[in-house]
Amino acid sequence: DAGVIQSPRHEVTEMGQEVTLRCKPISGHNSLFWYRQTMMRGLELLIYFNNNVPIDDSGMPEDRFSAKMPNASFSTLKIQPSEPRDSAVYFCASSFGRGPDTQYFGPGTRLTVL
Amino acid sequence: RKEVEQDPGPFNVPEGATVAFNCTYSNSASQSFFWYRQDCRKEPKLLMSVYSSGNEDGRFTAQLNRASQYISLLIRDSKLSDSATYLCVVSGGADGLTFGKGTHLIIQP
């Protein structure tokens, strides 16, 4: 079975550019989570969707970040404009429920903003 | 801000030894507790849930102490393949999901 799919796996961009990260959750899962991981701050929850509806976006750092889930099989996280401090690994996870014990993480997108 | 604290390590442990590490949490309303494992440059994966009565899965034992607000993970007969970062996860209350920054474990031959 296919797990959570993320693309691209690596992204290098210059400050000020728009970055779009993509995620395909596991088929049948109804919750989707976007996380950011850095050495300094660890793993942080950015936003959580349930049945394609954003439920909790309190972790989104600022207006430069936006996330959408147009259907049950696709979500995007967009950063515009990007800044060097956005450099991190961004994980998407999906679950059939809210709790972390049912969450399956994708391989992550390693973002470097120069 | 509510926190989940872990000793970052690294814990350097010889193969076959027993190793234990703790995680403390500050939100007394927390309801669910988990340990995740993350290999270098990989995604986190659920290792085990932590129940109030404690639970064991093979060489791994997890325990919860609500009074002192900490959870522990014990690994017996450690293997080289146990080398990873172990993330403590606390869920519940107004803060939702909170991950610790992880404890780095290195099993040495």
Side-chain angles (χ1 to χ4, degrees):
Chain A
D1 290 338
V4 175
I5 299 172
Q6 290 187 247
S7 65
R9 294 291 304 276
H10 301 273
E11 176 80 29
V12 179
T13 191
E14 294 187 343
M15 183 174 62
Q17 297 297 307
E18 177 180 298
V19 175
T20 299
L21 311 181
R22 298 173 176 79
C23 175
K24 176 178 170 57
I26 293 173
S27 177
H29 283 185
N30 64 349
S31 293
L32 184 140
F33 307 79
W34 281 102
Y35 293 89
R36 176 173 69 177
Q37 187 173 39
T38 62
M39 289 291 291
M40 289 297 295
R41 300 177 65 88
L43 197 64
E44 302 173 282
L45 178 65
L46 300 177
I47 187 169
Y48 151 55
F49 293 86
N50 182 256
N51 293 323
N52 311 339
V53 176
I55 303 300
D56 180 4
D57 65 354
S58 59
M60 294 287 264
E62 50 198 89
D63 292 345
R64 297 185 298 107
F65 285 69
S66 63
K68 295 181 179 179
M69 192 165 187
N71 57 62
S73 59
F74 184 66
S75 176
T76 60
L77 178 68
K78 185 177 294 186
I79 307 172
Q80 167 63 19
S82 59
E83 297 182 2
R85 61 191 168 122
D86 301 330
S87 297
V89 180
Y90 291 81
F91 288 105
C92 175
S94 71
S95 74
F96 191 68
R98 175 75 166 90
D101 60 329
T102 60
Q103 287 187 23
Y104 296 85
F105 282 75
T109 295
R110 187 171 296 274
L111 174 65
T112 302
V113 182
L114 303 175
Chain B
R1 174 175 171 79
K2 304 300 183 181
E3 296 289 344
V4 175
E5 300 286 346
Q6 293 184 253
D7 182 340
F11 284 54
N12 288 283
V13 175
E15 190 177 9
T18 296
V19 60
F21 28 85
N22 293 339
C23 160
T24 61
Y25 61 95
S26 58
N27 184 0
S28 59
S30 299
Q31 300 166 2
S32 304
F33 309 88
F34 309 89
W35 284 103
Y36 268 64
R37 170 192 169 129
Q38 186 172 23
D39 292 298
C40 186
R41 303 182 77 86
K42 298 287 189 180
E43 70 273 21
K45 293 183 179 179
L46 178 68
L47 178 65
M48 59 195 306
S49 303
V50 186
Y51 304 123
S52 297
S53 57
N55 50 302
E56 187 173 312
D57 183 3
R59 298 181 293 107
F60 297 82
T61 300
Q63 291 192 317
L64 167 64
N65 185 317
R66 285 191 182 273
S68 300
Q69 294 185 200
Y70 76 85
I71 66 174
S72 64
L73 180 67
L74 178 82
I75 305 174
R76 290 180 299 276
D77 188 24
S78 54
K79 311 291 185 189
L80 295 176
S81 58
D82 295 334
S83 298
T85 297
Y86 291 83
L87 304 172
C88 171
V89 184
V90 176
S91 174
D95 292 338
L97 300 173
T98 305
F99 282 76
K101 293 182 181 178
T103 295
H104 188 38
L105 175 64
I106 301 171
I107 306 299
Q108 298 175 329

